[in-house]
Amino acid sequence: MEQKKREQDVLILRDEKTGEIGVVAGLKRDGTPNMKPARAEHAQDFLRFDRHGDALDNFFANFYRQCKEPKRFGFYRVAVEGVENVVAVMKELLTDPVGFHDVLSPHKVDTTKYEQAAAQAQEPVAAEQKPPTEEAQQAERPEATPVEEQRAEQSYKPIDLDRLDRAEVGRRWGIDLAALEQSGDLERMRHYGKSQFVECSPDFGGIRVSMQARLSLRENPDGTVSLVPHPIRRAPNFDEYLNVKFTPEDQENLKKTGNLGRIVEVVDPATGELHPSFVSIDRLTNETVAVPVSAIRIPDEVKGVKLDPKQKAALSRGEGVFVEGMTGKSGKKFDATIQINADKRGLDFHFGGQRRAQRQEQSQASDDTQQPRRLRIGKTLLGAEVKPEYKAGWEQNKWVYIEGMTDKKGQKFNAYVRPNHEKAKFDFSRKRPEQSQIHEIQPDNASRTQVAVNSEGKTHEATKHVGEPLQRGQTAPANTDQQRRQQQAGKPKMRM
């Protein structure tokens, strides 16, 4: 247990706007970090990260997806043990972050890749000529969805909350339904929707585990109602959902819009029946969601625009439909592509996609006459020297591992790199590609001992007990501490 604790870290957070410093204990509903004082009574609330796990990636992915002011916060990763004392020291160091840069740098979390991933995730639906933010928000409001129009016309019945065992919800999931009621989440759940992110602590065999999840309600065959948590998944499953295998076109649609773009027969796990269904990705949790076609009514009119039969038919097939001249509550007009979203059980509004597609079609004819861009391989790449060995690997279209590159924020990083001549850019991968795709570079003579000991697990007698990774060219203890450890380890031990 003690060994497990030593392998866990926590995040120290500094609010650059207020100067407040504390320990991260999750995310609030608006995406801002929940900060706790570094005191023993709050230790159970601290968000802990296994040094060999991916929980840190999940945290920052959700942080950049939800938080409106991500640059307001600075994160520092430290060991969980003794964090109370570390925070006191960090407060002093952060009074002069420039002067203490060398001390703070090993703990500063480089969030560049999370920022880039969040930007790329938003890019497919980014507006080239966006309507005002107010209009976009109004377009997303649930009162305009076809499901709610269906409620007004049919004998719609919301879920009966009296059939929900409130005491069991608190006991099993550690959730206060009164708080859900006050926030309006319970009302959304009552109408077959999901809550926003909620802090809950489910009981697994007597052990409480803190987590964030969206919540929904489920009507059971025996007439009771159960609470269903929807925790955050590491990434969407773009390969399959239940009995449905996604085609390459399906995968592209899910990545761009979050919607499958067609109707598929989805099996009901409880009955084994197949139901024609819409399929979408919950953008907040990465969960794949399906809803039967029979549960969604295609609207006759959206935001003041009457849909023609072709548009309604396309929507019923799960396709996106570009609609012009819709009217927001402020009276302003806007255009957008609408599409059925299974997670919302209603309409999605995407801005800019139709114009982008039209422009691509218009320019397609002239593309053949244009000279393709060529990738130029210079003497350096992001500040790192491009060696002849790298070029030899790239000529075989293989990945080459390069150390000491510098990102846009001035932070050093290492990665596998391969030229992408089709797009006239370099591809980067922090994960190790398949061995057959890697161009292995033999170390020079000055680095052979270093690589053999640090990377291949071999033993070098002269430095066997120095207790630290070897540096380039090192074949002997580098300082008095290393020399002392090497000498002491070589002495015979006295037997009692």
Side-chain angles (χ1 to χ4, degrees):
M1 189 66 167
E2 184 62 28
Q3 176 64 26
K4 180 68 176 176
K5 182 178 179 181
R6 286 198 298 269
E7 293 180 352
Q8 289 184 327
D9 293 337
V10 294
L11 287 177
I12 292 178
L13 169 73
R14 184 176 192 271
D15 187 330
E16 306 294 351
K17 183 178 290 187
T18 65
E20 185 180 4
I21 297 175
V23 183
V24 172
L27 293 176
K28 299 178 182 177
R29 291 192 181 186
D30 61 358
T32 58
N34 186 14
M35 188 189 305
K36 293 285 186 179
R39 294 199 290 266
E41 58 264 34
H42 298 296
Q44 294 302 316
D45 298 327
F46 298 160
L47 203 58
R48 300 173 185 230
F49 303 94
D50 189 285
R51 291 177 189 171
H52 309 290
D54 54 17
L56 188 70
D57 292 339
N58 292 341
F59 170 82
F60 278 112
N62 289 309
F63 169 69
Y64 277 100
R65 185 165 57 235
Q66 300 173 59
C67 187
K68 294 181 179 179
E69 297 182 274
K71 295 186 181 297
R72 170 180 168 180
F73 304 98
F75 296 91
Y76 299 84
R77 185 170 180 169
V78 300
V80 66
E81 62 269 19
V83 67
E84 304 97 313
N85 298 327
V86 173
V87 168
V89 174
M90 292 288 282
K91 285 183 178 179
E92 292 295 327
L93 297 177
L94 288 170
T95 59
D96 183 12
V98 176
F100 291 108
H101 174 268
D102 292 342
V103 181
L104 293 169
S105 180
H107 301 285
K108 177 75 172 175
V109 178
D110 181 7
T111 59
T112 305
K113 64 177 181 179
Y114 307 114
E115 293 180 62
Q116 293 174 345
Q120 290 171 0
Q122 294 172 3
E123 185 177 349
V125 295
E128 293 175 348
Q129 294 182 8
K130 285 186 178 180
T133 303
E134 178 186 356
E135 307 306 323
Q137 293 174 345
Q138 290 170 353
E140 294 287 350
R141 287 176 185 168
E143 55 265 30
T145 66
V147 171
E148 298 202 23
E149 295 179 16
Q150 182 181 16
R151 292 173 190 162
E153 299 178 9
Q154 300 180 2
S155 56
Y156 170 82
K157 289 185 179 180
I159 296 174
D160 184 359
L161 294 180
D162 290 337
R163 293 183 285 138
L164 178 65
D165 189 337
R166 293 176 175 250
E168 173 66 12
V169 169
R171 182 169 54 253
R172 182 179 179 186
W173 300 105
I175 293 171
D176 182 4
L177 284 180
L180 286 179
E181 211 158 13
Q182 186 176 6
S183 67
D185 280 330
L186 193 59
E187 183 66 15
R188 283 189 285 271
M189 295 160 61
R190 180 170 168 259
H191 290 290
Y192 303 94
K194 291 180 184 176
S195 72
Q196 296 301 312
F197 277 115
V198 173
E199 294 282 348
C200 54
S201 52
D203 186 340
F204 296 103
I207 299 176
R208 292 280 182 185
V209 179
S210 296
M211 59 183 259
Q212 282 194 325
R214 300 184 74 187
L215 309 174
S216 66
L217 297 174
R218 178 181 62 210
E219 293 179 298
N220 302 316
D222 62 0
T224 60
V225 173
S226 299
L227 183 141
V228 180
H230 303 271
I232 301 169
R233 288 161 170 74
R234 181 180 181 184
N237 185 345
F238 293 121
D239 297 323
E240 60 185 354
Y241 174 66
L242 295 178
N243 61 304
V244 180
K245 301 289 186 181
F246 296 141
T247 66
E249 185 179 356
D250 292 338
Q251 296 175 7
E252 188 69 17
N253 289 337
L254 289 170
K255 291 175 182 178
K256 283 186 175 180
T257 68
N259 304 315
L260 191 64
R262 66 186 179 102
I263 302 300
V264 288
E265 298 275 342
V266 177
V267 67
D268 185 332
T271 65
E273 295 179 273
L274 291 173
H275 299 287
S277 303
F278 297 99
V279 175
S280 302
I281 300 292
D282 181 337
R283 296 188 184 96
L284 297 180
T285 66
N286 291 325
E287 177 185 20
T288 307
V289 180
V291 62
V293 169
S294 59
I296 301 292
R297 175 186 170 275
I298 304 301
D300 296 321
E301 183 179 299
V302 178
K303 298 290 184 181
V305 176
K306 187 174 178 60
L307 302 181
D308 61 40
K310 288 185 178 180
Q311 290 174 317
K312 294 175 65 174
L315 282 177
S316 67
R317 294 192 298 267
E319 300 170 7
V321 174
F322 185 67
V323 179
E324 296 180 288
M326 291 182 284
T327 306
K329 285 193 174 182
S330 67
K332 294 182 180 179
K333 302 285 186 179
F334 69 96
D335 308 334
T337 297
I338 62 174
Q339 190 174 28
I340 299 296
N341 181 285
D343 179 51
K344 296 178 180 179
R345 289 177 170 250
L347 288 178
D348 247 353
F349 292 77
H350 303 292
F351 302 99
Q354 181 74 10
R355 291 189 180 89
R356 187 161 49 245
Q358 290 174 347
R359 189 170 61 208
Q360 289 173 349
E361 291 176 3
Q362 293 169 358
S363 63
Q364 186 172 3
S366 62
D367 282 346
D368 295 335
T369 62
Q370 294 178 359
Q371 291 294 326
R373 291 185 302 163
R374 298 183 63 182
L375 177 63
R376 177 182 173 275
I377 299 178
K379 295 182 179 180
T380 61
L381 178 62
L382 298 181
E385 179 188 358
V386 174
K387 300 178 180 179
E389 306 95 278
Y390 301 167
K391 294 181 180 180
W394 290 340
E395 288 175 358
Q396 304 172 48
N397 198 34
K398 289 191 174 183
W399 294 94
V400 172
Y401 189 70
I402 300 181
E403 298 180 335
M405 291 179 287
T406 306
D407 63 23
K408 292 182 179 179
K409 291 195 171 183
Q411 300 296 318
K412 295 288 186 181
F413 74 102
N414 308 327
Y416 289 92
V417 183
R418 182 175 65 180
N420 186 330
H421 294 287
E422 182 179 348
K423 296 184 178 180
K425 69 181 188 67
F426 285 95
D427 291 335
F428 297 83
S429 174
R430 291 180 184 269
K431 293 184 178 180
R432 182 180 177 87
E434 293 183 10
Q435 185 62 36
S436 61
Q437 298 298 315
I438 300 175
H439 178 67
E440 296 288 359
I441 298 175
Q442 296 297 323
D444 56 27
N445 291 330
S447 302
R448 290 187 185 279
T449 302
Q450 175 193 3
V451 173
V453 174
N454 294 352
S455 303
E456 300 174 1
K458 296 181 180 179
T459 301
H460 182 247
E461 288 299 325
T463 58
K464 185 176 182 180
H465 304 289
V466 298
E468 298 174 11
L470 298 187
Q471 302 300 313
R472 184 176 183 273
Q474 182 178 353
T475 57
N479 52 50
T480 54
D481 287 340
Q482 291 186 359
Q483 188 174 11
R484 175 177 51 78
R485 287 194 290 267
Q486 179 73 14
Q487 290 174 348
Q488 288 179 347
K491 294 179 180 180
K493 296 184 178 180
M494 183 181 297
R495 294 185 178 181
M496 301 300 292

Short mmCIF file of all heavy atoms in Angstrom, two decimals, residues 127-175:
data_model
loop_
_atom_site.label_atom_id
_atom_site.label_comp_id
_atom_site.label_asym_id
_atom_site.label_seq_id
_atom_site.Cartn_x
_atom_site.Cartn_y
_atom_site.Cartn_z
N ALA A 127 -17.28 27.80 -36.85
CA ALA A 127 -17.96 28.60 -37.87
C ALA A 127 -16.96 29.45 -38.62
O ALA A 127 -16.12 30.12 -38.04
CB ALA A 127 -18.99 29.49 -37.22
N GLU A 128 -17.05 29.44 -39.98
CA GLU A 128 -16.25 30.36 -40.78
C GLU A 128 -16.91 31.74 -40.76
O GLU A 128 -16.24 32.75 -40.79
CB GLU A 128 -16.15 29.81 -42.20
CG GLU A 128 -15.35 28.52 -42.26
CD GLU A 128 -15.35 27.92 -43.64
OE1 GLU A 128 -16.12 28.36 -44.49
OE2 GLU A 128 -14.56 27.00 -43.87
N GLN A 129 -18.25 31.74 -40.74
CA GLN A 129 -18.98 32.99 -40.59
C GLN A 129 -20.02 32.73 -39.51
O GLN A 129 -21.21 32.58 -39.78
CB GLN A 129 -19.64 33.40 -41.90
CG GLN A 129 -18.65 33.73 -42.99
CD GLN A 129 -19.35 34.17 -44.26
OE1 GLN A 129 -20.55 34.37 -44.29
NE2 GLN A 129 -18.58 34.35 -45.31
N LYS A 130 -19.58 32.62 -38.26
CA LYS A 130 -20.47 32.23 -37.18
C LYS A 130 -21.53 33.28 -36.93
O LYS A 130 -21.24 34.47 -36.99
CB LYS A 130 -19.68 32.04 -35.88
CG LYS A 130 -18.87 30.75 -35.83
CD LYS A 130 -18.25 30.59 -34.47
CE LYS A 130 -17.47 29.30 -34.34
NZ LYS A 130 -16.85 29.16 -33.02
N PRO A 131 -22.75 32.85 -36.62
CA PRO A 131 -23.73 33.80 -36.12
C PRO A 131 -23.32 34.21 -34.72
O PRO A 131 -22.42 33.61 -34.14
CB PRO A 131 -25.02 32.97 -36.10
CG PRO A 131 -24.56 31.56 -35.98
CD PRO A 131 -23.24 31.50 -36.71
N PRO A 132 -23.93 35.23 -34.17
CA PRO A 132 -23.56 35.65 -32.82
C PRO A 132 -23.66 34.50 -31.84
O PRO A 132 -24.46 33.58 -32.02
CB PRO A 132 -24.61 36.74 -32.50
CG PRO A 132 -25.05 37.24 -33.83
CD PRO A 132 -24.98 36.06 -34.75
N THR A 133 -22.81 34.56 -30.82
CA THR A 133 -22.80 33.50 -29.83
C THR A 133 -24.18 33.25 -29.24
O THR A 133 -24.58 32.12 -28.99
CB THR A 133 -21.82 33.86 -28.69
OG1 THR A 133 -20.54 34.09 -29.25
CG2 THR A 133 -21.73 32.73 -27.69
N GLU A 134 -24.92 34.33 -29.07
CA GLU A 134 -26.26 34.21 -28.52
C GLU A 134 -27.12 33.32 -29.40
O GLU A 134 -27.89 32.49 -28.91
CB GLU A 134 -26.90 35.60 -28.40
CG GLU A 134 -28.34 35.57 -27.88
CD GLU A 134 -28.98 36.94 -27.92
OE1 GLU A 134 -28.28 37.90 -28.27
OE2 GLU A 134 -30.16 37.03 -27.60
N GLU A 135 -26.98 33.48 -30.72
CA GLU A 135 -27.79 32.67 -31.63
C GLU A 135 -27.38 31.20 -31.53
O GLU A 135 -28.23 30.31 -31.58
CB GLU A 135 -27.60 33.16 -33.07
CG GLU A 135 -27.85 34.65 -33.26
CD GLU A 135 -29.21 35.06 -32.73
OE1 GLU A 135 -30.17 34.30 -32.87
OE2 GLU A 135 -29.31 36.16 -32.17
N ALA A 136 -26.07 30.96 -31.46
CA ALA A 136 -25.61 29.58 -31.36
C ALA A 136 -26.16 28.93 -30.09
O ALA A 136 -26.57 27.77 -30.10
CB ALA A 136 -24.08 29.54 -31.34
N GLN A 137 -26.16 29.69 -28.99
CA GLN A 137 -26.68 29.14 -27.74
C GLN A 137 -28.17 28.87 -27.84
O GLN A 137 -28.67 27.86 -27.36
CB GLN A 137 -26.39 30.11 -26.59
CG GLN A 137 -24.91 30.24 -26.27
CD GLN A 137 -24.65 31.30 -25.24
OE1 GLN A 137 -25.51 32.12 -24.95
NE2 GLN A 137 -23.46 31.27 -24.67
N GLN A 138 -28.88 29.79 -28.48
CA GLN A 138 -30.31 29.59 -28.61
C GLN A 138 -30.61 28.37 -29.48
O GLN A 138 -31.56 27.63 -29.24
CB GLN A 138 -30.95 30.84 -29.22
CG GLN A 138 -30.96 32.03 -28.28
CD GLN A 138 -31.37 33.31 -28.98
OE1 GLN A 138 -31.53 33.32 -30.19
NE2 GLN A 138 -31.55 34.37 -28.22
N ALA A 139 -29.78 28.17 -30.51
CA ALA A 139 -30.01 27.03 -31.39
C ALA A 139 -29.86 25.72 -30.66
O ALA A 139 -30.49 24.73 -30.99
CB ALA A 139 -29.02 27.08 -32.56
N GLU A 140 -29.01 25.71 -29.62
CA GLU A 140 -28.76 24.48 -28.87
C GLU A 140 -29.78 24.26 -27.75
O GLU A 140 -29.77 23.23 -27.12
CB GLU A 140 -27.34 24.52 -28.26
CG GLU A 140 -26.24 24.50 -29.28
CD GLU A 140 -26.08 23.14 -29.92
OE1 GLU A 140 -26.70 22.19 -29.42
OE2 GLU A 140 -25.34 23.04 -30.91
N ARG A 141 -30.62 25.24 -27.47
CA ARG A 141 -31.53 25.11 -26.33
C ARG A 141 -32.57 24.03 -26.58
O ARG A 141 -33.11 23.90 -27.68
CB ARG A 141 -32.22 26.44 -26.05
CG ARG A 141 -31.24 27.43 -25.42
CD ARG A 141 -31.86 28.79 -25.23
NE ARG A 141 -30.85 29.72 -24.72
CZ ARG A 141 -31.03 31.02 -24.68
NH1 ARG A 141 -32.15 31.55 -25.11
NH2 ARG A 141 -30.08 31.80 -24.20
N PRO A 142 -32.91 23.25 -25.56
CA PRO A 142 -33.74 22.08 -25.76
C PRO A 142 -35.16 22.38 -26.19
O PRO A 142 -35.81 21.53 -26.77
CB PRO A 142 -33.72 21.39 -24.38
CG PRO A 142 -33.35 22.46 -23.42
CD PRO A 142 -32.44 23.38 -24.17
N GLU A 143 -35.67 23.63 -25.95
CA GLU A 143 -37.07 23.87 -26.30
C GLU A 143 -37.31 23.81 -27.79
O GLU A 143 -38.45 23.76 -28.24
CB GLU A 143 -37.57 25.21 -25.75
CG GLU A 143 -36.73 26.43 -26.16
CD GLU A 143 -35.70 26.77 -25.11
OE1 GLU A 143 -35.25 25.85 -24.42
OE2 GLU A 143 -35.36 27.95 -24.97
N ALA A 144 -36.25 23.81 -28.62
CA ALA A 144 -36.45 23.78 -30.07
C ALA A 144 -36.34 22.37 -30.64
O ALA A 144 -36.40 22.20 -31.83
CB ALA A 144 -35.43 24.69 -30.75
N THR A 145 -36.08 21.35 -29.80
CA THR A 145 -35.85 20.02 -30.32
C THR A 145 -37.13 19.35 -30.75
O THR A 145 -38.21 19.62 -30.22
CB THR A 145 -35.16 19.13 -29.25
OG1 THR A 145 -36.09 18.95 -28.18
CG2 THR A 145 -33.90 19.76 -28.74
N PRO A 146 -37.06 18.41 -31.72
CA PRO A 146 -38.25 17.73 -32.18
C PRO A 146 -38.92 16.90 -31.10
O PRO A 146 -40.11 16.67 -31.14
CB PRO A 146 -37.72 16.84 -33.32
CG PRO A 146 -36.27 16.77 -33.15
CD PRO A 146 -35.86 18.04 -32.48
N VAL A 147 -38.13 16.42 -30.13
CA VAL A 147 -38.73 15.64 -29.06
C VAL A 147 -39.74 16.46 -28.28
O VAL A 147 -40.82 15.99 -27.96
CB VAL A 147 -37.63 15.12 -28.10
CG1 VAL A 147 -38.26 14.50 -26.87
CG2 VAL A 147 -36.78 14.09 -28.81
N GLU A 148 -39.41 17.72 -28.00
CA GLU A 148 -40.32 18.54 -27.21
C GLU A 148 -41.53 18.95 -28.02
O GLU A 148 -42.61 19.15 -27.47
CB GLU A 148 -39.58 19.76 -26.67
CG GLU A 148 -38.46 19.37 -25.74
CD GLU A 148 -38.07 20.48 -24.81
OE1 GLU A 148 -38.87 21.37 -24.56
OE2 GLU A 148 -36.94 20.44 -24.33
N GLU A 149 -41.36 19.08 -29.37
CA GLU A 149 -42.54 19.31 -30.19
C GLU A 149 -43.44 18.08 -30.14
O GLU A 149 -44.67 18.18 -30.15
CB GLU A 149 -42.11 19.60 -31.63
CG GLU A 149 -41.32 20.90 -31.76
CD GLU A 149 -40.89 21.14 -33.20
OE1 GLU A 149 -41.46 20.49 -34.09
OE2 GLU A 149 -40.00 21.97 -33.40
N GLN A 150 -42.82 16.92 -30.09
CA GLN A 150 -43.59 15.68 -30.02
C GLN A 150 -44.37 15.62 -28.71
O GLN A 150 -45.50 15.14 -28.68
CB GLN A 150 -42.62 14.49 -30.13
CG GLN A 150 -43.31 13.13 -30.12
CD GLN A 150 -42.28 12.01 -30.21
OE1 GLN A 150 -41.10 12.23 -29.98
NE2 GLN A 150 -42.75 10.83 -30.53
N ARG A 151 -43.78 16.15 -27.63
CA ARG A 151 -44.46 16.11 -26.34
C ARG A 151 -45.77 16.89 -26.38
O ARG A 151 -46.75 16.52 -25.75
CB ARG A 151 -43.55 16.71 -25.26
CG ARG A 151 -42.33 15.87 -24.96
CD ARG A 151 -41.42 16.61 -24.01
NE ARG A 151 -40.15 15.93 -23.92
CZ ARG A 151 -39.04 16.49 -23.46
NH1 ARG A 151 -39.06 17.74 -23.08
NH2 ARG A 151 -37.93 15.81 -23.37
N ALA A 152 -45.75 18.01 -27.11
CA ALA A 152 -46.93 18.86 -27.14
C ALA A 152 -48.05 18.21 -27.94
O ALA A 152 -49.22 18.51 -27.72
CB ALA A 152 -46.57 20.21 -27.75
N GLU A 153 -47.69 17.31 -28.89
CA GLU A 153 -48.69 16.75 -29.77
C GLU A 153 -49.13 15.36 -29.34
O GLU A 153 -50.18 14.87 -29.76
CB GLU A 153 -48.14 16.69 -31.20
CG GLU A 153 -47.78 18.07 -31.76
CD GLU A 153 -47.19 17.97 -33.15
OE1 GLU A 153 -47.22 16.86 -33.72
OE2 GLU A 153 -46.72 18.99 -33.66
N GLN A 154 -48.37 14.66 -28.57
CA GLN A 154 -48.69 13.30 -28.19
C GLN A 154 -48.84 13.20 -26.68
O GLN A 154 -48.53 14.12 -25.94
CB GLN A 154 -47.60 12.34 -28.69
CG GLN A 154 -47.43 12.37 -30.21
CD GLN A 154 -46.34 11.41 -30.65
OE1 GLN A 154 -45.75 10.70 -29.84
NE2 GLN A 154 -46.10 11.38 -31.96
N SER A 155 -49.33 12.06 -26.23
CA SER A 155 -49.54 11.85 -24.79
C SER A 155 -48.21 11.50 -24.14
O SER A 155 -47.97 10.35 -23.76
CB SER A 155 -50.56 10.73 -24.57
OG SER A 155 -50.12 9.54 -25.24
N TYR A 156 -47.36 12.49 -24.07
CA TYR A 156 -46.02 12.30 -23.51
C TYR A 156 -46.08 12.24 -21.99
O TYR A 156 -46.78 13.04 -21.36
CB TYR A 156 -45.12 13.44 -23.97
CG TYR A 156 -43.78 13.48 -23.28
CD1 TYR A 156 -42.74 12.68 -23.69
CD2 TYR A 156 -43.57 14.33 -22.18
CE1 TYR A 156 -41.52 12.71 -23.06
CE2 TYR A 156 -42.35 14.38 -21.55
CZ TYR A 156 -41.33 13.56 -22.00
OH TYR A 156 -40.12 13.60 -21.36
N LYS A 157 -45.35 11.31 -21.40
CA LYS A 157 -45.32 11.20 -19.95
C LYS A 157 -43.87 11.21 -19.48
O LYS A 157 -43.09 10.32 -19.86
CB LYS A 157 -46.00 9.91 -19.48
CG LYS A 157 -47.52 9.92 -19.65
CD LYS A 157 -48.12 8.66 -19.06
CE LYS A 157 -49.64 8.67 -19.19
NZ LYS A 157 -50.26 7.45 -18.62
N PRO A 158 -43.50 12.17 -18.67
CA PRO A 158 -42.14 12.15 -18.11
C PRO A 158 -42.00 11.02 -17.10
O PRO A 158 -42.99 10.41 -16.68
CB PRO A 158 -42.02 13.52 -17.44
CG PRO A 158 -43.42 13.91 -17.14
CD PRO A 158 -44.28 13.34 -18.22
N ILE A 159 -40.76 10.75 -16.71
CA ILE A 159 -40.49 9.67 -15.75
C ILE A 159 -41.06 10.06 -14.39
O ILE A 159 -40.88 11.19 -13.92
CB ILE A 159 -38.98 9.41 -15.66
CG1 ILE A 159 -38.47 8.88 -17.02
CG2 ILE A 159 -38.65 8.41 -14.56
CD1 ILE A 159 -36.96 8.73 -17.10
N ASP A 160 -41.72 9.12 -13.74
CA ASP A 160 -42.32 9.34 -12.42
C ASP A 160 -41.24 9.22 -11.34
O ASP A 160 -40.76 8.12 -11.05
CB ASP A 160 -43.43 8.32 -12.17
CG ASP A 160 -44.16 8.57 -10.86
OD1 ASP A 160 -43.79 9.53 -10.14
OD2 ASP A 160 -45.09 7.80 -10.55
N LEU A 161 -40.86 10.34 -10.75
CA LEU A 161 -39.78 10.34 -9.74
C LEU A 161 -40.19 9.65 -8.46
O LEU A 161 -39.33 9.29 -7.64
CB LEU A 161 -39.35 11.78 -9.45
CG LEU A 161 -38.69 12.53 -10.61
CD1 LEU A 161 -38.32 13.94 -10.18
CD2 LEU A 161 -37.46 11.80 -11.11
N ASP A 162 -41.49 9.45 -8.24
CA ASP A 162 -41.93 8.74 -7.04
C ASP A 162 -41.51 7.29 -7.06
O ASP A 162 -41.48 6.62 -6.02
CB ASP A 162 -43.46 8.83 -6.90
CG ASP A 162 -43.91 10.25 -6.56
OD1 ASP A 162 -43.08 11.01 -6.02
OD2 ASP A 162 -45.07 10.59 -6.83
N ARG A 163 -41.19 6.79 -8.25
CA ARG A 163 -40.77 5.38 -8.37
C ARG A 163 -39.25 5.23 -8.22
O ARG A 163 -38.70 4.14 -8.40
CB ARG A 163 -41.21 4.83 -9.73
CG ARG A 163 -42.73 4.71 -9.85
CD ARG A 163 -43.14 4.09 -11.17
NE ARG A 163 -43.01 5.01 -12.28
CZ ARG A 163 -42.52 4.68 -13.45
NH1 ARG A 163 -42.07 3.46 -13.68
NH2 ARG A 163 -42.44 5.56 -14.43
N LEU A 164 -38.58 6.33 -7.92
CA LEU A 164 -37.12 6.32 -7.70
C LEU A 164 -36.83 6.22 -6.21
O LEU A 164 -37.34 7.03 -5.43
CB LEU A 164 -36.49 7.58 -8.28
CG LEU A 164 -34.98 7.75 -8.11
CD1 LEU A 164 -34.22 6.68 -8.88
CD2 LEU A 164 -34.54 9.14 -8.58
N ASP A 165 -36.05 5.24 -5.80
CA ASP A 165 -35.67 5.06 -4.40
C ASP A 165 -34.57 6.06 -4.06
O ASP A 165 -33.39 5.82 -4.32
CB ASP A 165 -35.19 3.62 -4.17
CG ASP A 165 -34.98 3.31 -2.69
OD1 ASP A 165 -34.79 4.26 -1.90
OD2 ASP A 165 -35.01 2.12 -2.33
N ARG A 166 -34.95 7.20 -3.50
CA ARG A 166 -33.99 8.27 -3.22
C ARG A 166 -32.93 7.85 -2.21
O ARG A 166 -31.76 8.22 -2.33
CB ARG A 166 -34.73 9.52 -2.73
CG ARG A 166 -35.61 10.15 -3.81
CD ARG A 166 -36.41 11.33 -3.28
NE ARG A 166 -37.15 11.98 -4.36
CZ ARG A 166 -36.88 13.19 -4.84
NH1 ARG A 166 -35.87 13.88 -4.35
NH2 ARG A 166 -37.59 13.70 -5.83
N ALA A 167 -33.37 7.10 -1.20
CA ALA A 167 -32.40 6.65 -0.19
C ALA A 167 -31.35 5.74 -0.80
O ALA A 167 -30.16 5.83 -0.47
CB ALA A 167 -33.14 5.92 0.94
N GLU A 168 -31.78 4.87 -1.73
CA GLU A 168 -30.85 3.96 -2.39
C GLU A 168 -29.85 4.74 -3.25
O GLU A 168 -28.67 4.40 -3.33
CB GLU A 168 -31.62 2.96 -3.25
CG GLU A 168 -30.77 2.05 -4.13
CD GLU A 168 -29.89 1.10 -3.34
OE1 GLU A 168 -30.11 0.96 -2.11
OE2 GLU A 168 -28.97 0.51 -3.94
N VAL A 169 -30.34 5.81 -3.91
CA VAL A 169 -29.45 6.63 -4.74
C VAL A 169 -28.34 7.23 -3.88
O VAL A 169 -27.16 7.22 -4.25
CB VAL A 169 -30.25 7.74 -5.45
CG1 VAL A 169 -29.31 8.76 -6.08
CG2 VAL A 169 -31.16 7.15 -6.51
N GLY A 170 -28.71 7.77 -2.73
CA GLY A 170 -27.70 8.34 -1.84
C GLY A 170 -26.75 7.31 -1.29
O GLY A 170 -25.54 7.53 -1.19
N ARG A 171 -27.31 6.14 -0.93
CA ARG A 171 -26.49 5.09 -0.32
C ARG A 171 -25.53 4.46 -1.34
O ARG A 171 -24.36 4.23 -1.05
CB ARG A 171 -27.41 4.03 0.29
CG ARG A 171 -26.69 2.90 1.00
CD ARG A 171 -27.66 2.04 1.81
NE ARG A 171 -28.78 1.53 1.00
CZ ARG A 171 -30.02 1.98 1.08
NH1 ARG A 171 -30.34 2.95 1.92
NH2 ARG A 171 -30.97 1.48 0.32
N ARG A 172 -26.05 4.19 -2.54
CA ARG A 172 -25.24 3.47 -3.52
C ARG A 172 -24.30 4.38 -4.30
O ARG A 172 -23.17 4.01 -4.61
CB ARG A 172 -26.15 2.73 -4.50
CG ARG A 172 -25.38 1.91 -5.54
CD ARG A 172 -26.31 1.17 -6.46
NE ARG A 172 -25.57 0.42 -7.47
CZ ARG A 172 -26.12 -0.23 -8.49
NH1 ARG A 172 -27.44 -0.21 -8.63
NH2 ARG A 172 -25.37 -0.87 -9.37
N TRP A 173 -24.78 5.59 -4.64
CA TRP A 173 -24.01 6.45 -5.52
C TRP A 173 -23.43 7.68 -4.84
O TRP A 173 -22.66 8.41 -5.46
CB TRP A 173 -24.87 6.90 -6.70
CG TRP A 173 -25.39 5.77 -7.52
CD1 TRP A 173 -26.66 5.28 -7.54
CD2 TRP A 173 -24.64 4.94 -8.41
NE1 TRP A 173 -26.76 4.21 -8.40
CE2 TRP A 173 -25.52 3.98 -8.95
CE3 TRP A 173 -23.30 4.93 -8.81
CZ2 TRP A 173 -25.11 3.02 -9.87
CZ3 TRP A 173 -22.90 3.97 -9.72
CH2 TRP A 173 -23.78 3.03 -10.24
N GLY A 174 -23.82 7.94 -3.58
CA GLY A 174 -23.31 9.12 -2.88
C GLY A 174 -23.75 10.41 -3.52
O GLY A 174 -22.99 11.39 -3.58
N ILE A 175 -25.01 10.44 -4.01
CA ILE A 175 -25.53 11.61 -4.73
C ILE A 175 -26.70 12.20 -3.96
O ILE A 175 -27.58 11.48 -3.50
CB ILE A 175 -25.97 11.21 -6.15
CG1 ILE A 175 -24.75 10.81 -6.98
CG2 ILE A 175 -26.72 12.35 -6.84
CD1 ILE A 175 -25.10 10.21 -8.32
#
